[in-house]
Amino acid sequence: MFTIEIPKLNPDGEWFEGEVPVDTLGVGDEKVRLEQPIRYRMWAQPVSGRLVVKGDWSLELGLECGRCADFFSTTLGDSSFLRDYEISGGVESVDVTPDIREDVLLALPAYPVCRETCRGLCPTCGKNLNVGSCSCPPQGGVRWGGLDGLKLT
């Protein structure tokens, strides 16, 4: 967890560096493998009853390709993380972890692809076409074939 204790915070602000264990974020499933902690470097400063936190985070992870189903490694991050928190009224600490989690979730690609040239899987036999060709007949035009007989007049 990344928690800032307000009474200990330098009034002029200070830098925080560290790691958030991925298990505290509750992110990851059979298509997303989080094996490394999230690294952060944040500046925190109290300003007019609020705590301003800005900085960056990065995360190395494995994702399942949406075309070929192989796992590939990539790095996600945000170099413009910026949040502010209400600290008036005796607030003793602020937990930034939920906002880092939200940023990670928003940074995850909706359709991850291992590389732009990924050929995916054969729709007939399921062979990974990046490894080699299969013996299935060519599938050209099948996706839109149902529209060939459509008459619009």
Side-chain angles (χ1 to χ4, degrees), residues 15-141:
W15 284 101
F16 293 88
E17 290 186 48
E19 297 179 339
V20 175
V22 292
D23 59 338
T24 59
L25 296 178
V27 178
D29 56 25
E30 65 276 354
K31 296 180 185 260
V32 179
R33 295 180 183 162
L34 304 174
E35 298 165 356
Q36 301 290 322
I38 298 169
R39 288 182 281 297
Y40 64 84
R41 184 171 188 268
M42 305 278 181
W43 172 259
Q45 183 174 12
V47 178
S48 301
R50 303 198 64 80
L51 177 68
V52 176
V53 179
K54 63 181 182 175
D56 59 74
W57 60 264
S58 66
L59 169 65
E60 295 175 23
L61 70 158
L63 295 173
E64 182 179 344
C65 178
R67 292 183 190 163
C68 68
D70 280 348
F71 271 84
F72 65 97
S73 296
T74 189
T75 302
L76 296 180
D78 183 359
S79 61
S80 59
F81 182 90
L82 177 63
R83 298 291 191 283
D84 73 306
Y85 305 91
E86 179 71 39
I87 59 170
S88 61
V91 173
E92 292 291 317
S93 64
V94 171
D95 186 6
V96 183
T97 309
D99 289 317
I100 293 175
R101 178 184 188 277
E102 180 181 313
D103 249 26
V104 169
L105 290 173
L106 291 173
L108 287 171
Y111 189 76
V113 179
C114 59
R115 61 185 179 275
E116 285 298 316
T117 59
C118 178
R119 296 180 59 209
L121 302 174
C122 172
T124 305
C125 70
K127 180 174 180 170
N128 186 338
L129 299 175
N130 296 311
V131 177
S133 299
C134 62
S135 58
C136 297
Q139 297 290 322

Side-chain angles (χ1 to χ4, degrees), residues 147-153:
L147 297 176
D148 288 342
L150 183 66
K151 299 202 187 306
L152 297 173
T153 56

